[in-house]
Amino acid sequence: MNVPLLDLVAQYRGIKDDVLRAMMTVIERQGFIMGPEVAQLETAVAELSHTKHAIGCASGTDALLLPLRALDLRPGDEVITTPFTFFATAGTIHNTGGTPVFVDIDEATFNISPRAIEAAIGPRTRAIVVVHLFGQMAAMEEILPIARRHGLPVIEDAAQSIGARRKVDGEWRLSGELGMVGTLSFFPSKNLGGYGDGGMIVTQDDVLAERLRRLRLHGGAKQYFHDEVGYNSRLDTLQAAVLLAKLPHLAEWSRTRAGHARRYSEAFVGHPVICPPKVDPLNEHIFHQYTIRVPRRNELQAALKAKGIGNAVYYPLALHLQPCFAHLGYQPGALPVSEAATDSVISLPIYPELTREQQDAVIHAVLEFYA
Ligand SMILES: Cc1ncc(COP(=O)(O)O)c(C=O)c1O
């Protein structure tokens, strides 16, 4: 049985009428730039994220780029982050003039280690970028006090964690709610994905929100007048319309993903070599990815591929060892937990439309490989 890693066609079949109606409304109106759907989506996402503001932008990458730019980094300024993430987390630090400082992750959750953050803080540290990887939040109750003690802003890269929650000091806190900003991606494969690129920044900070709104429009609050040099980084109205049509389904989709995750983990738990993902008891995980750790990972990957079972390795090379960051001087072995993860992780199909039979085929193929 062929099982894709992701089946967006299956999702489209279920929501086609709503999405096409929403897109046709925009097309009939012929208003594609900053139309009313953008503001409607911003309001809805701010509500979902428990934040005062949401600012649509062109991608999850730009959602990181704009607030990093708002930090006005100078050459030599350092931003601490994780090396076990998608490239954009660190690429945007570099592209806004900062130097990424990579620190290791927590072995159980793959998220940045608060202790490692604290150890890396120095006189040039200007900010911390935390990634809530694969759909579960990092230990914000430990990271925020460290950041506060050192007067450092925290950027939450929430590209993979929209709607995820964590009990922080006894209260449920949403992904993106507690940092200086939270940054979202609407890349098509995300739990809430558009039909192209898109992103959003959420924040509680009124002044910062105004600046981010300017930065996404070439740095001017008023057309043709520019307070600073910004970017063309708007969220397309058509994308906002698609996302508004999908948004009512998001919570159910994420619950269904979590159900699939439970079923996988029940099949793998207690296995001598397959290590299912660990959910921190403080977290409500939205399972953007279901990522196991295994020995002989590359062989498993080839065996699954031969059987038509979709899978992916997120991420095969930690960012501190990427050729583009060679000038930073990290050597293999510098961040051993991250490096071990890159050698052992593999992500399995977890999309909401995955059928029981498909999931059984994935489970069977993985168990058979290690039998
Ligand atoms: C953790 C993380 N950060 C940033 C991004 C960048 O988002 P985008 O692809 O929308 O630019 C992504 C997703 O692709 C991501 O997974």
Side-chain angles (χ1 to χ4, degrees), residues 59-61 64 85-86 88-89 131 157 159-160 185 187 190 197-198 315:
S59 66
T61 301
L64 287 160
T85 175
F86 180 63
T89 312
V131 181
D157 181 342
Q160 301 186 8
S185 164
F187 187 81
K190 294 291 193 273
D197 279 308
Y315 297 92

Side-chain angles (χ1 to χ4, degrees), residues 29 46 60 69 81 138 218 229 255 261 264 319 334 345:
R29 199 197 310 126
R69 167 66 194 278
T81 195
H218 292 295
V229 179
R255 266 197 300 278
Y264 272 133
L319 297 188
V345 291

